[in-house]
C-alpha cells in the first residue's frame, strides 16, 4: 500500500497546523481545499477574482508537485461565499482561464462563510492516478513524504 503526503514549500506549512495539502493513497489523490493564502498565511485579495486566481494557483502548485496539470483534473468542487453575487461576477472568468475542453465535472456550493471570514472561495480537485503515475513519484522526505 503506497501512501504519500504532499506539502509544497510554496504553500503554507500545513503540517504545523495539523494537516497535509494532499495525500496520495494507493491510486487516489485527496486534496485539502485551497484558498487565497500565500506561504506566509496571508489572505491574497479581497475580491472573488483575485482570490479564485490565487486558489487555482495553489491547486496548480499541488498538481505540478505530483506531475499533473489542470488538464488532468476530472472534478472540481468550489465553495463560494454568496455564489449568487460571486459565481458569474469574477469566479467563472477565472475558471474559464484555468480549464478548457474537455471540462472537468464541476460542483459549486454556496456558503455564508468559510474557515476564515476573509476567504471568498475554496477549491478542491479530484485527479485520477494510475499505478504508473504513483510509481513515478519520487519522495524526498519533505515536500513528498512516504507515510
Amino acid at each position: 500500500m503506497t501512501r504519500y503526503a504532499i506539502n509544497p514549500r510554496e504553500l503554507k506549512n500545513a503540517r504545523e497546523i495539523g494537516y497535509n495539502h494532499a495525500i496520495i493513497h494507493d491510486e487516489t489523490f485527496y486534496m485539502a481545499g485551497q484558498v487565497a493564502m500565500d506561504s506566509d498565511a496571508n489572505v491574497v485579495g479581497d475580491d472573488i477574482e483575485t482570490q479564485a486566481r490565487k486558489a487555482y494557483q495553489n491547486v496548480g502548485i499541488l498538481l505540478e508537485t505530483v506531475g499533473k496539470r489542470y488538464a488532468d483534473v476530472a472534478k472540481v468542487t468550489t465553495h463560494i461565499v454568496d455564489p449568487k453575487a460571486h459565481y458569474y461576477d469574477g469566479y467563472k472568468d477565472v475558471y474559464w482561464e484555468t480549464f478548457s475542453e474537455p471540462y472537468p465535472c464541476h460542483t459549486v456550493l454556496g456558503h455564508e462563510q468559510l474557515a476564515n471570514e476573509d476567504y471568498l472561495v475554496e477549491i478542491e480537485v479530484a485527479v485520477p492516478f494510475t499505478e504508473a503515475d504513483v510509481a513515478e513519484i519520487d519522495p524526498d522526505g519533505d515536500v513528498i513524504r512516504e507515510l
Side-chain angles (χ1 to χ4, degrees):
M1 175 168 44
T2 306
R3 187 175 163 104
Y4 297 108
I6 315 300
N7 290 290
R9 288 183 187 94
E10 299 91 342
L11 302 181
K12 164 81 172 110
N13 184 343
R15 291 175 61 199
E16 71 183 16
I17 55 175
Y19 73 99
N20 291 288
H21 282 289
I23 296 284
I24 296 173
H25 181 82
D26 290 334
E27 295 170 20
T28 304
F29 176 80
Y30 300 95
M31 187 188 88
Q34 296 299 303
V35 294
M37 180 189 295
D38 66 17
S39 61
D40 294 321
N42 299 308
V43 177
V44 176
D46 59 2
D47 63 274
I48 190 68
E49 189 172 342
T50 303
Q51 286 200 14
R53 194 164 277 113
K54 178 59 178 164
Y56 273 118
Q57 179 186 22
N58 290 348
V59 168
I61 290 167
L62 277 169
L63 294 174
E64 186 177 306
T65 301
V66 295
K68 295 292 184 175
R69 303 171 299 131
Y70 293 118
D72 297 313
V73 171
K75 174 145 182 30
V76 177
T77 303
T78 305
H79 304 266
I80 298 178
V81 173
D82 192 5
K84 185 176 179 182
H86 293 128
Y87 181 71
Y88 289 107
D89 187 20
Y91 171 79
K92 192 70 173 181
D93 293 334
V94 178
Y95 177 85
W96 288 110
E97 292 169 10
T98 305
F99 297 102
S100 57
E101 280 284 359
Y103 299 108
C105 300
H106 191 196
T107 300
V108 177
L109 303 168
H111 298 277
E112 287 185 31
Q113 181 179 323
L114 297 171
N116 178 313
E117 65 185 17
D118 294 327
Y119 295 149
L120 298 174
V121 63
E122 184 168 341
I123 300 165
E124 54 188 289
V125 301
V127 181
F129 273 71
T130 66
E131 208 174 292
D133 292 331
V134 175
E136 288 182 19
I137 293 173
D138 186 20
D140 63 4
D142 182 30
V143 172
I144 301 176
R145 291 180 304 122
E146 188 165 0
L147 304 175

